[in-house]
Amino acid sequence: MKRILFQGDSITDAGRSFDNDDYLGQGYPRLVEAKLGCRNVGEYEFINRGISGNRSIDLLARVKADAINLKPDVMSILIGINDVRHEISSSNGVSAERYELYYKMFIDQVKEALPDIKIMIMEPFVLKASATEANWEALKTGAEERAVIAKKIADEYGLEFVPLADMFNDAAKKAEPSYWLYDGVHPTVKGHELIANEWIKAFDRMNNK
């Protein structure tokens, strides 16, 4: 049985259990588990190690305990929006340059320990809604900078990239942003469904190469 690890911040965390790995929370990891679990019966084990509030530096700090030690066969990573938000709210964010550095350090350590692992890089995103409109331009610019970096890292390392920003921008033309991201950052169940669908597409692309 292959092990799939979901890694990231609150968008990935989504209320998952810190005591029971069988409960992946209410977000896209759970939806992916449902889809793959039904499609590929008994082939995969799923673990969620997303932690609310995490920045890229927090992810790096727990690379051993929450990535390497778990020995996943596949890992997806969604990180970056808190690097921007924490700078705006408390001057405790992570610059774009440091984001790239810490992200690469994380991947380097994982790949050194687990050379056969497959890694998926998920694109940071944001929409204009209740938690983002007050600082919209800074958040939008910061998220876009980190999206470019995430894609650059995926290309440099030959990793699968999961595009999400344009998907949410397009979705916001069909319904108000809060329909998909209730506060502009955190997905509703519909938003998590969109992410899960893109995750599955990227997963299939990666496995068909």
Side-chain angles (χ1 to χ4, degrees):
M1 183 180 295
K2 292 187 176 181
R3 176 172 291 177
I4 295 175
L5 172 63
F6 302 97
Q7 191 52 268
D9 52 31
S10 57
I11 299 169
T12 302
D13 181 332
R16 59 101 171 176
S17 173
F18 280 63
D19 301 313
N20 180 6
D21 279 334
D22 291 334
Y23 183 66
L24 301 185
Q26 295 290 331
Y28 73 89
R30 186 181 190 186
L31 298 175
V32 169
E33 177 190 27
K35 295 171 188 291
L36 284 186
C38 287
R39 192 183 77 179
N40 304 90
V41 178
E43 291 185 23
Y44 300 108
E45 173 189 10
F46 304 88
I47 298 178
N48 185 353
R49 281 293 187 275
I51 295 182
S52 180
N54 264 200
R55 304 156 298 165
S56 55
I57 192 168
D58 303 306
L59 188 65
L60 176 60
R62 55 191 181 88
V63 62
K64 187 74 163 58
D66 284 344
I68 293 171
N69 288 354
L70 296 174
K71 295 181 172 58
D73 299 286
V74 177
M75 175 176 61
S76 67
I77 310 167
L78 175 54
I79 200 75
I81 193 59
N82 286 327
D83 293 47
V84 184
R85 295 181 74 206
H86 286 202
E87 182 62 25
I88 293 170
S89 65
S90 60
S91 299
N92 194 32
V94 177
S95 70
E97 293 77 17
R98 291 287 179 178
Y99 171 76
E100 181 173 357
L101 174 64
Y102 298 150
Y103 215 140
K104 288 182 175 180
M105 290 174 67
F106 180 88
I107 293 172
D108 285 340
Q109 290 187 48
V110 170
K111 290 181 68 65
E112 180 180 4
L114 306 170
D116 295 327
I117 191 173
K118 294 183 177 181
I119 300 175
M120 299 162 60
I121 303 293
M122 303 175 70
E123 183 179 30
F125 53 85
V126 69
L127 292 177
K128 191 175 184 179
S130 61
T132 60
E133 57 187 355
N135 299 288
W136 173 241
E137 290 303 324
L139 283 166
K140 178 175 180 289
T141 299
E144 288 174 347
E145 287 176 344
R146 284 151 186 81
V148 169
I149 292 169
K151 179 64 164 62
K152 176 185 173 184
I153 291 171
D155 290 343
E156 286 184 6
Y157 284 81
L159 308 177
E160 194 64 42
F161 185 68
V162 187
L164 299 173
D166 285 346
M167 177 194 73
F168 276 115
N169 290 332
D170 291 342
K173 297 174 184 177
K174 302 174 184 177
E176 60 183 1
S178 60
Y179 185 84
W180 310 104
L181 306 177
Y182 68 83
D183 60 356
V185 174
H186 300 95
T188 63
V189 66
K190 284 85 69 177
H192 277 294
E193 175 71 5
L194 291 181
I195 296 172
N197 289 338
E198 290 302 311
W199 195 103
I200 294 287
K201 290 178 187 177
F203 179 80
D204 287 343
R205 286 196 305 270
M206 181 176 66
N207 287 325
N208 289 329
K209 288 181 178 178

